[in-house]
Amino acid sequence: MKIKLHNNDLPKNIKFTKSVAIDTETMGLNPLRDRLCLVQLSDGNDVCHLIQIKNKTAKPKNLINMLKNNKILKIFHFARFDVAILKHTFKIDINNIYCTKIASKLARTFTDKHGYKDLCKELLNVQISKSEQTTDWGKSKLTLAQQKYAATDVFYLHKIKDELNKMLKRENRMALSKACFEFIKFRTNLDLEGWNNQDIFSH
């Protein structure tokens, strides 16, 4: 795995055409309060791009254009949070979403282990570390350990998606999963509007 660190935007010469795995690192878990610090991208090959958002007011044009491109499939793990923080930070809509956590919950009903680390181990036989998960992502210079952790969080997403799709097709739940992925843009709107802790479908 090769890691390339960029400041504030994705370079113009780096293009994603069909799909991109995306993750974010923030100062906390409240999109309305905690700022976006890092965006990780991978096209499924051996290079991971890390975009450090140092300027709070900057609008990363190339990154935003990629996120707004409806032709590109955006692969997340727990898309609900990442999409919400990206939408809130850049004031954009994001479509064509795939969430490996939702896919896992629909396909792997025999277990309650749907974390990224669990999926790497059980689907790909890969052990990863989450030791840098709670760390200061807002500092100006990221450690090599932070960079490796951040890159790892997108490095395996394409392969995980492929394995989960096999299971979804086998269990005849692909259409249901696509409907759930479509709903993410509305679920994140509810989160950002204040309904994040309320199940509006309950009695």
Side-chain angles (χ1 to χ4, degrees):
M1 178 174 62
K2 299 177 182 177
I3 301 173
K4 294 188 177 181
L5 185 63
H6 313 287
N7 286 330
N8 292 319
D9 200 0
L10 184 69
K12 286 184 178 181
N13 64 319
I14 298 172
K15 303 293 183 182
F16 297 93
T17 54
K18 294 183 179 179
S19 63
V20 56
I22 307 173
D23 190 36
T24 62
E25 305 299 341
T26 65
M27 287 301 294
L29 298 178
N30 184 338
L32 299 176
R33 177 196 66 196
D34 302 316
R35 73 178 178 90
L36 175 67
C37 301
L38 190 73
V39 179
Q40 304 100 279
L41 307 171
S42 170
D43 64 0
N45 293 320
D46 64 341
V47 179
C48 293
H49 297 277
L50 310 183
I51 304 168
Q52 196 170 5
I53 309 297
K54 294 182 178 181
N55 188 339
K56 297 179 184 179
T57 60
K59 296 296 182 182
K61 181 180 178 181
N62 301 323
L63 174 62
I64 289 173
N65 286 340
M66 185 275 292
L67 292 171
K68 290 171 63 177
N69 189 333
N70 294 338
K71 294 181 180 180
I72 300 174
L73 177 68
K74 294 92 178 173
I75 308 167
F76 299 90
H77 183 76
F78 193 45
R80 180 177 171 182
F81 177 80
D82 297 307
V83 172
I85 190 70
L86 291 167
K87 287 171 70 169
H88 177 68
T89 302
F90 301 132
K91 311 304 180 196
I92 59 173
D93 288 322
I94 299 174
N95 296 293
N96 200 0
I97 296 167
Y98 187 105
C99 178
T100 55
K101 189 156 195 168
I102 290 175
S104 177
K105 287 183 177 182
L106 289 173
R108 302 170 65 250
T109 50
F110 51 83
T111 181
D112 61 354
K113 294 182 178 180
H114 304 288
Y116 181 68
K117 183 177 180 179
D118 299 313
L119 296 180
C120 285
K121 179 181 178 181
E122 296 180 26
L123 297 180
L124 307 179
N125 197 28
V126 173
Q127 295 275 4
I128 66 168
S129 170
K130 301 294 283 185
S131 61
E132 295 293 323
Q133 186 171 21
T134 52
T135 187
D136 181 9
W137 293 103
K139 58 187 181 182
S140 59
K141 187 173 182 179
L142 300 178
T143 65
L144 291 177
Q146 283 179 307
Q147 293 179 43
K148 183 177 180 181
Y149 166 86
T152 300
D153 269 1
V154 290
F155 186 68
Y156 297 106
L157 279 178
H158 278 84
K159 291 180 180 179
I160 289 172
K161 174 187 71 70
D162 292 343
E163 293 302 313
L164 289 171
N165 276 351
K166 293 176 185 177
M167 299 179 71
L168 288 169
K169 290 176 182 177
R170 188 190 71 199
E171 301 303 319
N172 197 28
R173 293 174 187 156
M174 184 62 77
L176 182 60
S177 69
K178 289 180 179 179
C180 291
F181 301 153
E182 279 289 317
F183 183 68
I184 289 170
K185 60 185 177 183
F186 303 108
R187 175 68 261 188
T188 52
N189 286 342
L190 288 167
D191 290 341
L192 295 173
E193 292 288 341
W195 281 277
N196 53 307
N197 291 320
Q198 183 178 355
D199 180 5
I200 62 171
F201 294 99
S202 63
H203 188 275

